[in-house]
Amino acid sequence: MRHRRFTVTAAGLTAAGIALAGCAAAGPTEIEDKSADYGFNAEGLPIVDETLTLTFGGTKSALAPEYGDMELVQQWQSDTNIAIEWENLVDQVYAEKKNLMLASQDLPDVLYNTGLSDAEIVEYGSNGTLLPLEDLIAEHAPILSGILEKRPDIRAAITSSDGHIYSLPSVEELGILAFPNFLYINKAWLDTLGLPMPTTIDEYHDALAAFATQDPNGNGLKDEIPLSFRTDSFCANPHDLIAALGGQPENNDHRIVRDGTVEFTADTEEYRAGVSALADWYAEGLIDPESFSQDDVAYLAKGKSETPVLGSFFWWELKEFVGEDRMDDYALVGVLEGVDGERLASVANNQEIGRGAMAITRANEYPAATIRWADRLFDPVMSAQVAWGPIGVTLEEDETGMLVQIPAAAGESEGERRQRVAPGGPRITTAEDFATVVAPEPRAAERQQLVQEFYEPHRANEGYPPVMLSNEELDQISLTVPEINALVKEKFASWVVKGGIDSEWDGYVSQLQTMGVDDVIGVYQQAYDRFQQGGE
């Protein structure tokens, strides 16, 4: 099937979109697809017989070169005959220009690594700035269509409440994002003081108390920091301590799922008990006072101080925090047995199914060719290269045919290399693909093993899934959720540092009710139920 003209429906086009379409009617509008003008091929390569040039905009890593200089991107142009003029910018610069660009008629054909929030995807999809993609996917994206048929959860994650798909996904199913807060302890100090590796919350408390009073670093100074953490961090939060001390699983959103029910976590008696116990620890001098104010730079510096001062901490990866020379001095604690005898591993809401990897704008006159171009990226072998870089540069086949990492050159980490050679964007690497197509990075494989051994057996809740809220739902909660989260954060820090949770608790719960916490949870429950039904 070649050299055809196609039409694509844009939902609710704005005036600018209507001008492009040459139609003044309100509502869905047919836009003529001109892919056939370049000799569009419905199958095989190249995608077009004559070179078609498209403009792409969006974000890119600060370490990444111009995308057009990347080996993989150059190969895409050679394969497809679609040339791309890249206008991707580093995050901060793009964020400053994004809203102005989206509000104007000066749009690129495609947003790649779009940097769009869920609210923006819904807003700019419903007003016609972004084209609906579901019909294009069904007709011209057989690889992605097959995946979405097999994985209705991915389809549900990228489908808006109006039934349209406005952006393409990025999926990396390593199974490691649910438990970001690894708890480590200074094993060398335990050995110096003759203490066992703690397995219960009481043993852990006693170890911290010993760190605070017995000079385990041997310098004669009281400079030891028994426990340090960060609040609102991706991976340095004391959520599992709240669970162990009070029985309340917790995460950054204060929103979990248990048995199909969405729960708010920060107003329960279990949460109160956990925070109250942490306040007692603080009064004993066991918690770093800077835990509520330090940024990542200051926090990480504590692990690499000239004299070892840190007894225990939460972080994603040990080596990054303490450096290679001190790795043997620390050990992963895992999930402690709590006051009720249970081990509760709090599950975060970090998602492995991401939205916003790529979107087609109303400026694009060649959506059929564009979606065929994107569909190639969802082939598992190509998705691996999109994520980690080209075969022969970062990846190679082992004796079994699996793609594995080529060790990075001296002086460059795998993460740095990845940013330099891999464009990111739309891709899907499922758990099955990690077993049959591409092996996880060594660091990721190690974390998978640790998650399975230390955390997964004690999973206390389910994370809130990658639900896309509707415009109406977003309007209902967009102002309330930040206010609620700010109150929870403020009170948590105040109660741990200054005490007073018992006298202030009833007023705090009443304030949450007045702010509408029950209505917020109701919205999330409604959206959750819709997601469980496949986005219908």
Side-chain angles (χ1 to χ4, degrees):
M1 187 184 304
R2 301 175 58 181
H3 304 288
R4 287 179 48 200
R5 286 184 179 268
F6 304 93
T7 56
V8 61
T9 300
L13 286 174
T14 60
I18 291 171
L20 172 66
C23 175
T29 304
E30 295 286 319
I31 297 178
E32 185 177 25
D33 187 311
K34 299 180 180 178
S35 298
D37 293 352
Y38 286 81
F40 177 71
N41 301 305
E43 298 176 352
L45 294 173
I47 291 173
V48 287
D49 294 332
E50 300 176 24
T51 301
L52 168 63
T53 300
L54 300 174
T55 58
F56 278 38
T59 66
K60 74 179 185 72
S61 163
L63 291 179
E66 294 299 322
Y67 275 4
D69 295 334
M70 286 187 176
E71 178 180 321
L72 186 62
V73 171
Q74 292 173 353
Q75 185 60 52
W76 291 344
Q77 178 171 338
S78 176
D79 291 341
T80 65
N81 216 14
I82 293 178
I84 298 170
E85 294 179 353
W86 295 92
E87 300 170 0
N88 288 58
L89 305 169
V90 295
D91 289 346
Q92 184 175 354
V93 177
Y94 177 71
E96 294 172 355
K97 297 184 177 182
K98 178 179 63 176
N99 290 337
L100 180 61
M101 174 191 69
L102 288 168
S104 74
Q105 296 188 45
D106 187 21
L107 291 165
D109 296 310
V110 169
L111 295 177
Y112 190 94
N113 294 325
T114 69
L116 297 177
S117 67
D118 287 355
E120 289 169 331
I121 292 172
V122 172
E123 175 186 356
Y124 292 110
S126 61
N127 74 16
T129 302
L130 307 179
L131 297 186
L133 304 178
E134 63 277 358
D135 291 341
L136 287 165
I137 292 170
E139 186 168 2
H140 300 296
I143 299 173
L144 180 57
S145 291
I147 295 172
L148 297 184
E149 182 176 352
K150 185 178 180 181
R151 291 290 303 273
D153 58 323
I154 298 178
R155 179 182 287 278
I158 62 175
T159 300
S160 298
S161 62
D162 63 6
H164 292 304
I165 295 172
Y166 296 113
S167 64
L168 299 179
S170 61
V171 179
E172 195 170 301
E173 291 185 328
L174 284 165
I176 59 178
L177 294 180
F179 305 101
N181 304 294
F182 274 21
L183 177 60
Y184 293 95
I185 196 167
N186 194 322
K187 182 67 164 55
W189 286 6
L190 292 176
D191 294 342
T192 295
L193 301 177
L195 296 173
M197 184 71 181
T199 60
T200 70
I201 193 66
D202 290 337
E203 290 174 349
Y204 180 68
H205 167 272
D206 292 346
L208 298 184
F211 292 168
T213 59
Q214 298 186 35
D215 192 27
N217 66 7
N219 66 353
L221 302 174
K222 293 195 67 173
D223 56 353
E224 288 85 0
I225 302 171
L227 168 63
S228 191
F229 52 78
R230 286 198 61 213
T231 55
D232 282 352
S233 165
F234 169 71
C235 61
N237 305 280
H239 299 323
D240 285 342
L241 295 184
I242 293 173
L245 291 165
Q248 177 61 65
E250 171 67 314
N251 59 37
N252 279 359
D253 299 318
H254 317 298
R255 185 176 70 252
I256 63 174
V257 178
R258 286 192 285 196
D259 298 325
T261 299
V262 181
E263 302 176 14
F264 184 70
T265 59
D267 64 351
T268 68
E269 286 300 317
E270 292 82 3
Y271 177 82
R272 176 183 181 176
V275 176
S276 180
L278 284 179
D280 292 339
W281 286 21
Y282 188 90
E284 294 178 59
L286 307 187
I287 295 176
D288 180 5
E290 295 181 350
S291 293
F292 306 94
S293 60
Q294 60 193 342
D295 60 15
D296 277 352
V297 175
Y299 185 50
L300 290 169
K302 288 181 166 69
K304 303 181 183 71
S305 60
E306 184 174 351
T307 299
V309 296
L310 193 55
S312 187
F313 61 91
F314 289 91
W315 195 247
W316 179 265
E317 183 181 68
L318 179 60
K319 180 180 178 180
E320 182 179 23
F321 202 100
V322 303
E324 190 167 3
D325 292 344
R326 288 185 185 165
M327 286 183 64
D328 291 341
D329 291 341
Y330 288 83
L332 179 63
V333 176
V335 183
L336 294 161
E337 181 182 308
V339 292
D340 56 3
E342 289 190 80
R343 297 178 189 268
L344 300 175
S346 299
V347 177
N349 294 331
N350 304 318
Q351 306 298 341
E352 293 186 318
I353 301 174
R355 292 181 282 270
M358 176 174 157
I360 300 177
T361 77
R362 64 171 184 251
N364 192 316
E365 296 180 304
Y366 314 97
T370 304
I371 202 70
R372 272 215 65 208
W373 181 94
D375 190 49
R376 298 183 68 239
L377 307 189
F378 293 106
D379 173 82
V381 172
M382 186 61 76
S383 282
Q385 297 178 83
V386 173
W388 291 284
I391 294 172
V393 175
T394 59
L395 298 171
E396 62 184 357
E397 287 191 6
D398 66 8
E399 62 277 4
T400 70
M402 283 279 288
L403 293 174
V404 297
Q405 295 281 321
I406 298 172
E412 182 178 44
S413 71
E414 284 83 0
E416 290 171 336
R417 180 183 63 179
R418 180 177 183 176
Q419 293 178 70
R420 296 182 194 281
V421 300
R427 62 193 187 277
I428 295 177
T429 305
T430 65
E432 181 181 351
D433 294 331
F434 277 118
T436 60
V437 177
V438 57
E441 290 179 286
R443 292 182 307 161
E446 179 183 3
R447 190 174 185 86
Q448 283 181 315
Q449 185 269 322
L450 294 173
V451 164
Q452 291 301 316
E453 179 180 353
F454 287 92
Y455 286 86
E456 193 63 58
H458 310 297
R459 174 185 284 262
N461 61 281
E462 296 303 317
Y464 192 79
V467 178
M468 182 175 286
L469 303 183
S470 68
N471 270 333
E472 181 181 0
E473 290 164 342
L474 289 165
D475 287 342
Q476 289 178 270
I477 69 170
S478 60
L479 297 178
T480 307
V481 168
E483 292 175 350
I484 290 172
N485 289 346
L487 175 65
V488 173
K489 179 180 180 181
E490 174 196 345
K491 288 299 185 182
F492 175 73
S494 175
W495 287 333
V496 173
V497 174
K498 301 177 182 178
I501 189 170
D502 290 335
S503 62
E504 297 180 12
W505 181 257
D506 290 344
Y508 162 77
V509 172
S510 178
Q511 187 175 356
L512 287 170
Q513 292 294 320
T514 300
M515 296 171 78
V517 68
D518 288 342
D519 292 336
V520 168
I521 292 301
V523 167
Y524 280 116
Q525 184 72 59
Q526 170 184 289
Y528 174 86
D529 293 340
R530 183 177 65 243
F531 180 86
Q532 294 302 107
Q533 296 166 9
E536 298 176 1

